[in-house]
Amino acid sequence: MTQLVEEAVLQEFDRINDRGGVLGAMETQYQRGKIQEESMHYEMKKHTGELPIIGVNTYLNPNPQSDDDINAMEIARATTEEKETQIANLRAFQERNASEEALNRLKHVAKSGGNIFEELMETVKVASLGQITTALYEVGGQYRRNM
């Protein structure tokens, strides 16, 4: 089994090398296409039942609820007080921490091809997930799946 995996990995490395290496393959969106192909293959196997997944396509509930029962279910929502408390906590966190410098360092590391994970470990100490996400979107854009 290990040998089969090793052979498959080496074949994939050869395919990437034939496209000009990692950067050449990225320019032609080879990796993205490969991921999409594998995702579609997985979904088809799941849909046909060739890949059994308990509770999804095998061993389903023999007494499923009707659509009316599902639509009648009450959705758990936060109260206005809970929302305001969470927003106040976020604002207090942001006021306690000077995040602009850390976010600028993160953007610089992302642009320069540095170790983003290492910088993220420092940035999360002073910036919220929303701030980090926005900063990274500014640098690299937002992913949109091609179909």
Side-chain angles (χ1 to χ4, degrees), residues 98-127 132 135-136 138-139:
S99 60
E100 283 305 312
E101 184 180 327
L103 292 168
N104 287 334
R105 277 196 317 270
L106 179 64
K107 287 187 218 179
H108 173 73
V109 168
K111 286 178 189 175
S112 65
N115 186 343
I116 294 176
F117 184 79
E118 181 180 3
E119 194 59 41
L120 272 173
M121 295 305 290
E122 295 303 315
T123 308
V124 296
K125 295 175 184 176
V126 296
I132 292 169
L136 291 175
E138 287 174 15
V139 173

Side-chain angles (χ1 to χ4, degrees), residues 7 30 97 133:
E7 287 174 15
Y30 171 75
N97 299 291
T133 302

Side-chain angles (χ1 to χ4, degrees), residues 14-26:
D14 287 340
R15 286 191 283 272
I16 290 172
N17 190 46
D18 292 344
R19 287 165 174 77
V22 172
L23 294 178
M26 285 175 66

Side-chain angles (χ1 to χ4, degrees), residues 2-138:
T2 302
Q3 187 174 357
L4 290 174
V5 171
E6 184 178 317
E7 287 174 15
V9 168
L10 291 174
Q11 287 174 355
E12 190 59 37
F13 284 163
D14 287 340
R15 286 191 283 272
I16 290 172
N17 190 46
D18 292 344
R19 287 165 174 77
V22 172
L23 294 178
M26 285 175 66
E27 288 174 359
T28 62
Q29 297 188 348
Y30 171 75
Q31 293 96 326
R32 181 179 288 179
K34 198 74 168 153
I35 291 167
Q36 288 176 346
E37 285 175 23
E38 291 299 321
S39 175
M40 293 299 280
H41 178 69
Y42 169 80
E43 289 298 323
M44 287 300 296
K45 287 178 80 170
K46 186 172 76 172
H47 182 71
T48 63
E50 187 179 346
L51 175 66
I53 300 174
I54 294 173
V56 174
N57 59 8
T58 57
Y59 300 109
L60 299 176
N61 185 352
N63 303 313
Q65 296 177 335
S66 69
D67 286 343
D68 293 334
D69 291 341
I70 291 172
N71 292 333
M73 291 175 59
E74 187 176 334
I75 297 174
R77 297 203 183 270
T79 65
T80 302
E81 181 182 335
E82 290 170 327
K83 290 177 191 176
E84 289 173 1
T85 301
Q86 192 62 25
I87 290 170
N89 290 342
L90 175 62
R91 297 289 179 247
F93 172 80
Q94 290 172 336
E95 287 174 16
R96 282 193 315 268
N97 299 291
S99 60
E100 283 305 312
E101 184 180 327
L103 292 168
N104 287 334
R105 277 196 317 270
L106 179 64
K107 287 187 218 179
H108 173 73
V109 168
K111 286 178 189 175
S112 65
N115 186 343
I116 294 176
F117 184 79
E118 181 180 3
E119 194 59 41
L120 272 173
M121 295 305 290
E122 295 303 315
T123 308
V124 296
K125 295 175 184 176
V126 296
S128 69
L129 177 60
Q131 291 172 307
I132 292 169
T133 302
T134 300
L136 291 175
Y137 282 162
E138 287 174 15

